[in-house]
Amino acid sequence: MSKISLQMFTMREYTKTKEELRNTLQTLAGYGFRNVQYSVPGFLTTREVKELLDEAGLRNDSAYHPNIFTMEQEMDKVMEQLEVFDTPYLRISTLPFEMLN
């Protein structure tokens, strides 16, 4: 895997629908990107995202879980993403501010 990934949050204005995501991924692949860092949106499944990435010839570099405190109860979703995206990397949201000191 390439060491460079595009953080898709920077493309959020262009990925609000499945078709917009498809077009944006195709455009990024055309610019030479091979990897992205993308969180599965509520309007798609993990497998649907994987299909769009495959169509564009891109790879998601990591899986994502928004809440470290509920992750254990949702481990099946976490494991599905890791498996489907074929990555050992898991991203989480930042820790609560009061835990950062």
Side-chain angles (χ1 to χ4, degrees):
M1 178 184 338
S2 171
K3 292 182 180 184
I4 298 174
S5 292
L6 177 85
Q7 188 178 48
M8 290 294 290
F9 183 75
T10 62
M11 299 283 111
R12 65 190 174 278
E13 295 301 318
Y14 310 101
T15 61
K16 293 181 178 180
T17 67
K18 184 176 183 176
E19 194 57 36
E20 283 182 358
L21 177 58
R22 175 182 278 119
N23 292 337
T24 299
L25 293 174
Q26 293 288 337
T27 299
L28 293 171
Y31 289 146
F33 284 97
R34 293 178 19 216
N35 301 302
V36 295
Q37 185 182 77
Y38 187 64
S39 302
V40 177
F43 61 90
L44 293 172
T45 67
T46 300
R47 295 194 187 284
E48 287 173 316
V49 170
K50 176 69 166 125
E51 288 172 11
L52 294 175
L53 290 166
D54 287 348
E55 284 177 22
L58 294 171
R59 202 172 158 197
N60 200 3
D61 69 7
S62 55
Y64 172 74
H65 194 276
N67 188 329
I68 192 168
F69 300 110
T70 63
M71 187 169 56
E72 189 173 359
Q73 293 88 351
E74 298 175 336
M75 193 54 68
D76 56 331
K77 292 178 185 177
V78 171
M79 297 307 293
E80 177 192 28
Q81 282 192 38
L82 292 169
E83 180 182 322
V84 170
F85 295 136
D86 189 27
T87 180
Y89 303 110
L90 175 66
R91 293 175 284 121
I92 59 168
S93 293
T94 187
L95 292 172
F97 186 73
E98 55 274 5
M99 294 180 75
L100 297 177
N101 56 16

